[in-house]
Amino acid sequence: MDYLIVAFFAFFGGNARYLIGVNLPVVNGFPLGTLAANLLGCFLFSWLVKHIMADRDVNGRLILGVGTGFFGAFTTFSSFALETVKLFETNIFLAFIYLILSIGGGLFAAYLGEKFWQPKANKEEFK
């Protein structure tokens, strides 16, 4: 049953990822769509799945579907890797910028997802 839940949510995550890729252009070989999807996915996964859903005792299968299914299909390491290799072949400077923005930005987005939740949680603890 878990496979079906993941597949169901992956359908929506993959389509959301596709729509971002279609609507954000590639500029001089720089994949804005993949970068945007991965950064947004890092933030939302950290904030929504790890905190909002887990802290509110949402059903584990829903967390599995949204976390693994939706965000697993929405964010994409394989596209990131392929686009980085393509950039290295054409523009080394842009490739390094993309690497820094993707890795550093992804970590920072996940950190923001953590911090976005923590102040609210800490305020409730001290009431």
Side-chain angles (χ1 to χ4, degrees):
M1 183 61 142
D2 288 347
Y3 294 104
L4 294 176
I5 291 168
V6 170
F8 175 78
F9 280 92
F11 171 81
F12 295 102
N15 279 293
R17 164 69 182 87
Y18 172 75
L19 289 173
I20 287 176
V22 167
N23 289 300
L24 285 178
V26 173
V27 178
N28 294 325
F30 194 85
L32 291 175
T34 301
L35 180 64
N38 286 340
L39 295 179
L40 183 62
C42 286
F43 172 79
L44 290 175
F45 182 80
S46 175
W47 175 65
L48 179 66
V49 176
K50 187 168 181 236
H51 291 296
I52 301 293
M53 296 178 84
D55 290 352
R56 296 183 187 219
D57 289 329
V58 172
N59 183 290
R61 285 196 165 145
L62 181 58
I63 293 172
L64 175 69
V66 173
T68 302
F70 183 87
F71 286 110
F74 185 73
T75 59
T76 171
F77 187 78
S78 57
S79 292
F80 160 72
L82 179 61
E83 290 166 345
T84 302
V85 168
K86 285 181 181 179
L87 276 173
F88 269 112
E89 292 172 350
T90 60
N91 189 327
I92 291 175
F93 177 73
L94 274 182
F96 278 113
I97 295 296
Y98 184 56
L99 278 171
I100 291 166
L101 288 175
S102 294
I103 296 169
L107 291 171
F108 186 66
Y111 172 79
L112 287 178
E114 293 283 313
K115 291 301 172 190
F116 189 71
W117 178 252
Q118 284 180 356
K120 292 177 183 172
N122 288 340
K123 286 179 187 174
E124 291 175 10
E125 288 176 13
F126 294 110
K127 285 184 178 179

